[in-house]
Amino acid sequence: EIVMTQSPAILSVSPGERATLSCRASQSISSDLAWYQQKPGQAPRLLIYGASTRPIGMPARFRGSGSGTEYTLTINSLQPEDFAVYYCQQYNKWPLSFGQGTKVEIK
Amino acid sequence: QVQLQESGPGLVKPSETLSLTCTASGGSISSYHWGWIRQSPGKGLEWIGFIYHSEPPNYNPSLKGRAIMSVDTSKNQLSLRLNSVTAADTAVYYCARRGLTFEAFDIWGPGTRVTVSA
């Protein structure tokens, strides 16, 4: 199974600033990576797939990048509604696997 | 836009079978692949499996053959059965739609919490 490791576990950021979240795969996943946002009591919401593609309607401040084993989610100009937990997920090989999450909290 | 809603008992006894249903509205369940995912404090998010109405399901090997998924196109529903449950199966269970061109999940149900306890 491919192990996904996210860092940091908690990221403290002020509103309006940029957040940079990392996700590392235990082997190359060829950009078969998705990012999700989850708020308390809600299901995850897809932010990014294919490492860098936003679904229709997703704000441009969410930007995904990376390749091979290293991936980054950048959230520019953090809005109040962006404070949440973020997960990465690989779909290069079965079983699909998720990272343990990064909580973005208000500084 | 399709919407999903999970349903089922919130409490299941150890060694019994967990049975959940996911009802889709606003779109046909026959047009997409679907998945089940669960989330627990101990294991985080865990993929259970994929199903498409005309293909055999695919399961996470970690479930050791205990999971059975099916589709009822006449009711526009998915179902999940998990046999021989233990406390480790306590989680929030989600059904979700798989993307057309990627194996991530673009639409999720709100989830249903299942506790395994005597």
Side-chain angles (χ1 to χ4, degrees):
Chain A
E1 175 178 335
I2 296 177
V3 177
M4 306 301 291
T5 303
Q6 291 185 243
S7 61
I10 301 174
L11 185 61
S12 298
V13 186
S14 299
E17 293 189 340
R18 174 184 299 168
T20 302
L21 290 66
S22 295
C23 177
R24 173 179 291 176
S26 59
Q27 63 188 79
S28 175
I29 56 172
S30 303
S31 297
D32 292 332
L33 184 95
W35 288 95
Y36 300 89
Q37 176 194 69
Q38 188 177 34
K39 296 180 181 179
Q42 296 184 16
R45 176 175 74 139
L46 180 68
L47 299 175
I48 299 284
Y49 63 92
S52 61
T53 304
R54 288 186 305 275
I56 294 171
M58 189 57 58
R61 65 179 183 273
F62 294 99
R63 180 175 170 271
S65 62
S67 62
T69 62
E70 303 283 343
Y71 298 87
T72 300
L73 174 67
T74 302
I75 312 171
N76 290 307
S77 187
L78 270 160
Q79 301 299 299
E81 61 268 27
D82 298 336
F83 292 95
V85 181
Y86 292 82
Y87 295 95
C88 59
Q89 177 229 319
Q90 69 80 20
Y91 51 91
N92 184 255
K93 284 188 172 57
W94 292 354
L96 309 186
S97 50
F98 294 83
Q100 287 299 104
T102 291
K103 181 180 181 180
V104 177
E105 64 174 26
I106 300 175
K107 186 175 183 180
Chain B
Q1 176 81 319
V2 69
Q3 292 186 308
L4 303 172
Q5 180 67 56
E6 304 89 348
S7 59
L11 182 64
V12 182
K13 290 182 168 54
S15 80
E16 295 191 345
T17 297
L18 179 163
S19 294
L20 299 176
T21 298
C22 172
T23 301
S25 57
S28 172
I29 211 159
S30 303
S31 304
Y32 288 86
H33 287 75
W34 304 90
W36 287 92
I37 305 103
R38 66 183 182 180
Q39 185 172 29
S40 61
K43 289 187 177 180
L45 288 161
E46 182 180 23
W47 172 66
I48 296 171
F50 278 135
I51 188 165
Y52 185 66
H53 72 98
S54 59
E55 296 174 1
N58 301 104
Y59 300 106
N60 191 327
S62 68
L63 295 167
K64 297 182 173 61
R66 296 188 297 124
I68 300 173
M69 296 188 298
S70 60
V71 174
D72 186 336
T73 54
S74 67
K75 295 181 179 178
N76 229 29
Q77 287 180 338
L78 312 169
S79 66
L80 169 69
R81 289 169 57 88
L82 187 63
N83 302 321
S84 305
V85 297
T86 70
D89 295 310
T90 294
V92 176
Y93 285 76
Y94 298 99
C95 61
R97 190 180 79 174
R98 201 196 82 176
L100 275 174
T101 60
F102 54 91
E103 291 186 343
F105 302 100
D106 60 356
I107 295 176
W108 295 62
T112 187
R113 183 174 299 276
V114 178
T115 300
V116 178
S117 175

